Amino acid sequence: MSERLQPGDVAPAFTLPDADGNEVSLADHKGRKVIVYFYPAALTPGCTKQACDFTDNLEVLAGAGYDVIGISPDQPEKLAKFREKESLKVTLLADPDKQVLDAYAAFGEKKNYGKTYMGVIRSTIIVDESGKVEHALYNVRATGHVAKIIKDLGI
């Protein structure tokens, strides 16, 4: 498992397929701030809530100069279903090999009901215009997280 990112670190570069199978890179967003959030699975209650919150606040975030990218280990086909079913407007990327999840320390040991297992750690990394980490938030809650980001960023 990778070390957790800290403010000032260079955000790991990535290129992943989106819900339509098109390649999307972090480098495509150079010059803009990017909110990269990692979630366990499309079409699950918490992840749906979080994705809908980001979609509902996308105009506010975009107006403040932020792009939003959601990354999960799902396949592009599942992401397309998720986007259609929930009318999502955020960019969803597939990382089935978990290489990007690992590079961002968003995959690792989790505990649930006394059991330890490997899984996606719900995380949000905010990357500045030059590709450096501005904020690194780990073990975030799905509910209320977007409102907290907006408040913390002073948007």
Side-chain angles (χ1 to χ4, degrees):
M1 188 175 116
S2 298
E3 283 287 310
R4 288 190 168 182
L5 296 174
Q6 302 293 326
D9 289 350
V10 173
F14 62 79
T15 301
L16 293 169
D18 68 7
D20 301 313
N22 301 315
E23 299 279 300
V24 175
S25 298
L26 182 60
D28 298 343
H29 297 269
K30 197 118 178 112
R32 297 218 8 118
K33 294 180 181 187
V34 187
I35 296 172
V36 183
Y37 78 96
F38 297 91
Y39 62 99
L43 301 166
T44 57
C47 298
T48 298
K49 172 85 181 106
Q50 190 177 20
C52 288
D53 271 359
F54 272 118
T55 292
D56 293 347
N57 289 286
L58 200 56
E59 268 183 45
V60 172
L61 291 165
Y66 290 90
D67 294 335
V68 180
I69 297 173
I71 299 177
S72 74
D74 297 305
Q75 294 293 337
E77 302 76 31
K78 188 172 179 189
L79 297 179
K81 276 189 201 131
F82 187 34
R83 182 185 61 200
E84 304 312 314
K85 182 174 188 272
E86 303 298 339
S87 303
L88 300 174
K89 302 275 185 269
V90 295
T91 301
L92 299 174
L93 302 182
D95 184 19
D97 300 336
K98 302 177 187 72
Q99 287 177 324
V100 176
L101 283 155
D102 196 45
Y104 278 78
F107 187 82
E109 204 172 85
K110 295 173 67 166
K111 283 187 171 52
N112 199 11
Y113 300 113
K115 287 172 84 168
T116 302
Y117 61 98
M118 297 300 282
V120 176
I121 298 162
R122 194 181 298 275
S123 312
T124 301
I125 309 300
I126 300 171
V127 181
D128 71 13
E129 300 90 339
S130 65
K132 288 207 169 20
V133 174
E134 204 174 281
H135 299 278
L137 311 162
Y138 291 95
N139 295 311
V140 301
R141 296 198 173 280
T143 307
H145 179 57
V146 177
K148 184 179 179 340
I149 288 173
I150 289 170
K151 183 172 172 265
D152 290 353
L153 294 175
I155 299 172

